[in-house]
Amino acid sequence: AMLNSDMGLLLNFTVDEDGYPGSCPAETAWGAPLHHFDKDHALGGAPAGYQECPISKFAGSDGTPMSQWVQEFAKDQTKWINEYIPAMEKYLQNGYAADALTPLVRD
């Protein structure tokens, strides 16, 4: 299964002011075309699939497209975990300053 972040690195699409994806032709669950993401349909139980979104060309500092990493890790989960564990360990060791956090305030 892919996370939303994986899809964002794999496919080239835009998001609207509410964070809903768009700019790719899609279909409703029953095959009717959607030329943009229609959140009213999605919220009403007619999810869209983005089968026609182009693959993203967004690349990291080494020039490798992020979509290539998504595809590679999807094919080889052992490779993914071998890359993930050291990265997560580094992330946890670096930590953050106490004043870098913002308290959550409920409206």
Side-chain angles (χ1 to χ4, degrees):
M2 288 190 145
L3 301 173
N4 290 346
S5 56
D6 298 329
M7 295 302 288
L9 293 172
L10 178 65
L11 301 176
N12 186 14
F13 59 89
T14 60
V15 293
D16 69 11
E17 65 276 357
D18 296 322
Y20 285 91
S23 73
C24 298
E27 293 182 351
T28 64
W30 55 86
L34 287 175
H35 300 291
H36 64 283
F37 186 84
D38 184 335
K39 58 187 152 201
D40 294 328
H41 278 91
L43 295 173
Y50 290 96
Q51 297 143 356
E52 296 183 35
C53 280
I55 297 294
S56 175
K57 303 292 186 218
F58 177 73
S61 59
D62 68 351
T64 304
M66 293 293 142
S67 57
Q68 182 178 324
W69 288 110
V70 173
Q71 292 169 329
E72 194 170 323
F73 287 151
K75 290 177 189 172
D76 187 348
Q77 301 227 337
T78 301
K79 183 173 186 165
W80 177 83
I81 199 70
N82 288 339
E83 295 284 339
Y84 174 80
I85 289 174
M88 180 55 95
E89 287 174 345
K90 183 177 180 180
Y91 168 77
L92 293 172
Q93 288 172 356
N94 285 336
Y96 49 85
D99 62 349
L101 300 176
T102 303
L104 177 65
V105 178
R106 291 185 172 218
D107 294 333

